Amino acid sequence: MAVLSNDQVDAALPDLPGWERAAGALRRSTKFPTFLDGIDAVRRVAEFAEEKDHHPDIDIRWRTVTFALVTHSAGGITEKDIQMATEINRILSDQPS
């Protein structure tokens, strides 16, 4: 899978609310109402990631969860990361509040 150019990533970002490019990856931090709400979201993202065999880096800090996407085997952000970010947004939009 080909690494996307900076211009290609920039063109995709307006369709990925909450995501930014930082340190060579797509990143999104979300604050949840409770710690367990964040853990539930991580579980749902993890299930989808396992199904697709494309796994985000996940950092959990109390009620804030940060997802980072980069295709390590390709050496940068690829279309797989854009697709995973889209799916994470869908999963998070289904999160109870």
Side-chain angles (χ1 to χ4, degrees):
M1 179 146 296
V3 172
L4 299 176
S5 70
N6 288 338
D7 288 342
Q8 289 172 308
V9 174
D10 289 344
L13 283 171
D15 295 327
L16 299 171
W19 291 87
E20 64 179 353
R21 182 180 42 202
L26 292 177
R27 296 187 185 278
R28 177 179 175 168
S29 292
T30 302
K31 187 172 184 177
F32 293 90
T34 70
F35 177 74
L36 290 178
D37 288 336
I39 295 301
D40 182 58
V42 166
R43 179 194 54 77
R44 293 187 298 140
V45 167
E47 288 173 354
F48 181 80
E50 190 68 12
E51 178 184 312
K52 295 298 181 183
D53 194 28
H54 190 62
H55 305 88
D57 294 332
I58 302 171
D59 182 61
I60 303 167
R61 305 288 170 134
W62 188 35
R63 296 183 303 154
T64 301
V65 177
T66 301
F67 299 96
L69 295 166
V70 62
T71 304
H72 297 287
S73 61
I77 298 168
T78 68
E79 187 59 38
K80 286 177 94 170
D81 301 304
I82 301 296
Q83 292 168 0
M84 181 62 71
T86 299
E87 185 61 23
I88 290 172
N89 278 0
R90 187 197 64 74
I91 291 167
L92 296 182
S93 72
D94 291 343
Q95 180 71 23
S97 49

mmCIF file of all heavy atoms in Angstrom, residues 10-27:
data_model
loop_
_atom_site.group_PDB
_atom_site.id
_atom_site.type_symbol
_atom_site.label_atom_id
_atom_site.label_comp_id
_atom_site.label_asym_id
_atom_site.label_seq_id
_atom_site.Cartn_x
_atom_site.Cartn_y
_atom_site.Cartn_z
ATOM 1 N N ASP A 10 -3.841 16.051 3.635
ATOM 2 C CA ASP A 10 -4.526 17.332 3.886
ATOM 3 C C ASP A 10 -5.898 17.358 3.227
ATOM 4 O O ASP A 10 -6.852 17.883 3.794
ATOM 5 C CB ASP A 10 -3.684 18.505 3.371
ATOM 6 C CG ASP A 10 -2.446 18.755 4.216
ATOM 7 O OD1 ASP A 10 -2.371 18.245 5.359
ATOM 8 O OD2 ASP A 10 -1.528 19.449 3.715
ATOM 9 N N ALA A 11 -6.016 16.790 2.029
ATOM 10 C CA ALA A 11 -7.303 16.758 1.326
ATOM 11 C C ALA A 11 -8.309 15.863 2.036
ATOM 12 O O ALA A 11 -9.519 16.104 1.977
ATOM 13 C CB ALA A 11 -7.099 16.284 -0.115
ATOM 14 N N ALA A 12 -7.836 14.835 2.736
ATOM 15 C CA ALA A 12 -8.733 13.915 3.437
ATOM 16 C C ALA A 12 -9.190 14.457 4.792
ATOM 17 O O ALA A 12 -10.278 14.109 5.270
ATOM 18 C CB ALA A 12 -8.044 12.567 3.632
ATOM 19 N N LEU A 13 -8.395 15.296 5.428
ATOM 20 C CA LEU A 13 -8.694 15.752 6.788
ATOM 21 C C LEU A 13 -10.042 16.465 6.960
ATOM 22 O O LEU A 13 -10.709 16.248 7.976
ATOM 23 C CB LEU A 13 -7.557 16.620 7.329
ATOM 24 C CG LEU A 13 -6.326 15.841 7.785
ATOM 25 C CD1 LEU A 13 -5.178 16.788 8.107
ATOM 26 C CD2 LEU A 13 -6.641 14.948 8.969
ATOM 27 N N PRO A 14 -10.507 17.279 6.002
ATOM 28 C CA PRO A 14 -11.819 17.914 6.200
ATOM 29 C C PRO A 14 -12.966 16.906 6.338
ATOM 30 O O PRO A 14 -13.993 17.220 6.938
ATOM 31 C CB PRO A 14 -11.991 18.776 4.943
ATOM 32 C CG PRO A 14 -10.598 19.078 4.495
ATOM 33 C CD PRO A 14 -9.823 17.824 4.818
ATOM 34 N N ASP A 15 -12.782 15.703 5.815
ATOM 35 C CA ASP A 15 -13.807 14.659 5.930
ATOM 36 C C ASP A 15 -13.611 13.791 7.167
ATOM 37 O O ASP A 15 -14.331 12.807 7.351
ATOM 38 C CB ASP A 15 -13.796 13.766 4.687
ATOM 39 C CG ASP A 15 -14.195 14.530 3.435
ATOM 40 O OD1 ASP A 15 -15.037 15.451 3.544
ATOM 41 O OD2 ASP A 15 -13.659 14.217 2.355
ATOM 42 N N LEU A 16 -12.637 14.152 8.003
ATOM 43 C CA LEU A 16 -12.324 13.389 9.217
ATOM 44 C C LEU A 16 -12.388 14.296 10.446
ATOM 45 O O LEU A 16 -11.355 14.639 11.026
ATOM 46 C CB LEU A 16 -10.927 12.750 9.099
ATOM 47 C CG LEU A 16 -10.724 11.756 7.970
ATOM 48 C CD1 LEU A 16 -9.253 11.379 7.843
ATOM 49 C CD2 LEU A 16 -11.592 10.533 8.177
ATOM 50 N N PRO A 17 -13.588 14.689 10.853
ATOM 51 C CA PRO A 17 -13.704 15.599 11.997
ATOM 52 C C PRO A 17 -13.003 15.037 13.231
ATOM 53 O O PRO A 17 -13.141 13.852 13.551
ATOM 54 C CB PRO A 17 -15.208 15.702 12.236
ATOM 55 C CG PRO A 17 -15.872 15.131 11.042
ATOM 56 C CD PRO A 17 -14.872 14.264 10.338
ATOM 57 N N GLY A 18 -12.239 15.899 13.879
ATOM 58 C CA GLY A 18 -11.548 15.527 15.105
ATOM 59 C C GLY A 18 -10.138 15.006 14.887
ATOM 60 O O GLY A 18 -9.372 14.869 15.837
ATOM 61 N N TRP A 19 -9.773 14.725 13.645
ATOM 62 C CA TRP A 19 -8.455 14.168 13.341
ATOM 63 C C TRP A 19 -7.499 15.255 12.896
ATOM 64 O O TRP A 19 -7.905 16.250 12.288
ATOM 65 C CB TRP A 19 -8.561 13.106 12.249
ATOM 66 C CG TRP A 19 -9.265 11.875 12.711
ATOM 67 C CD1 TRP A 19 -10.612 11.659 12.689
ATOM 68 C CD2 TRP A 19 -8.686 10.723 13.303
ATOM 69 N NE1 TRP A 19 -10.902 10.431 13.219
ATOM 70 C CE2 TRP A 19 -9.733 9.831 13.609
ATOM 71 C CE3 TRP A 19 -7.372 10.345 13.609
ATOM 72 C CZ2 TRP A 19 -9.506 8.582 14.201
ATOM 73 C CZ3 TRP A 19 -7.157 9.102 14.177
ATOM 74 C CH2 TRP A 19 -8.211 8.246 14.470
ATOM 75 N N GLU A 20 -6.218 15.043 13.190
ATOM 76 C CA GLU A 20 -5.156 15.930 12.717
ATOM 77 C C GLU A 20 -3.954 15.073 12.342
ATOM 78 O O GLU A 20 -3.861 13.915 12.746
ATOM 79 C CB GLU A 20 -4.759 16.928 13.805
ATOM 80 C CG GLU A 20 -4.144 16.271 15.034
ATOM 81 C CD GLU A 20 -3.739 17.263 16.107
ATOM 82 O OE1 GLU A 20 -3.802 18.469 15.863
ATOM 83 O OE2 GLU A 20 -3.346 16.801 17.186
ATOM 84 N N ARG A 21 -3.079 15.652 11.565
ATOM 85 C CA ARG A 21 -1.817 14.977 11.279
ATOM 86 C C ARG A 21 -0.799 15.518 12.263
ATOM 87 O O ARG A 21 -0.605 16.727 12.372
ATOM 88 C CB ARG A 21 -1.361 15.233 9.850
ATOM 89 C CG ARG A 21 -0.080 14.485 9.548
ATOM 90 C CD ARG A 21 0.426 14.689 8.164
ATOM 91 N NE ARG A 21 0.282 16.093 7.798
ATOM 92 C CZ ARG A 21 0.245 16.518 6.551
ATOM 93 N NH1 ARG A 21 0.313 15.681 5.564
ATOM 94 N NH2 ARG A 21 0.125 17.793 6.281
ATOM 95 N N ALA A 22 -0.159 14.618 13.001
ATOM 96 C CA ALA A 22 0.854 15.020 13.975
ATOM 97 C C ALA A 22 1.868 13.891 14.111
ATOM 98 O O ALA A 22 1.493 12.717 14.198
ATOM 99 C CB ALA A 22 0.211 15.327 15.321
ATOM 100 N N ALA A 23 3.120 14.256 14.099
ATOM 101 C CA ALA A 23 4.218 13.297 14.283
ATOM 102 C C ALA A 23 4.109 12.117 13.307
ATOM 103 O O ALA A 23 4.322 10.965 13.681
ATOM 104 C CB ALA A 23 4.270 12.809 15.729
ATOM 105 N N GLY A 24 3.725 12.413 12.069
ATOM 106 C CA GLY A 24 3.696 11.395 11.031
ATOM 107 C C GLY A 24 2.532 10.432 11.082
ATOM 108 O O GLY A 24 2.551 9.393 10.423
ATOM 109 N N ALA A 25 1.502 10.771 11.865
ATOM 110 C CA ALA A 25 0.336 9.894 11.995
ATOM 111 C C ALA A 25 -0.930 10.729 12.004
ATOM 112 O O ALA A 25 -0.887 11.945 12.210
ATOM 113 C CB ALA A 25 0.427 9.083 13.288
ATOM 114 N N LEU A 26 -2.049 10.070 11.783
ATOM 115 C CA LEU A 26 -3.348 10.696 12.026
ATOM 116 C C LEU A 26 -3.663 10.499 13.497
ATOM 117 O O LEU A 26 -3.506 9.393 14.023
ATOM 118 C CB LEU A 26 -4.431 10.032 11.182
ATOM 119 C CG LEU A 26 -4.355 10.224 9.677
ATOM 120 C CD1 LEU A 26 -5.461 9.423 8.997
ATOM 121 C CD2 LEU A 26 -4.475 11.695 9.319
ATOM 122 N N ARG A 27 -4.113 11.547 14.184
ATOM 123 C CA ARG A 27 -4.395 11.469 15.625
ATOM 124 C C ARG A 27 -5.737 12.099 15.948
ATOM 125 O O ARG A 27 -6.099 13.130 15.391
ATOM 126 C CB ARG A 27 -3.325 12.200 16.431
ATOM 127 C CG ARG A 27 -1.965 11.584 16.308
ATOM 128 C CD ARG A 27 -0.962 12.231 17.251
ATOM 129 N NE ARG A 27 0.348 11.690 17.008
ATOM 130 C CZ ARG A 27 0.796 10.541 17.494
ATOM 131 N NH1 ARG A 27 0.027 9.823 18.270
ATOM 132 N NH2 ARG A 27 1.999 10.102 17.207
#
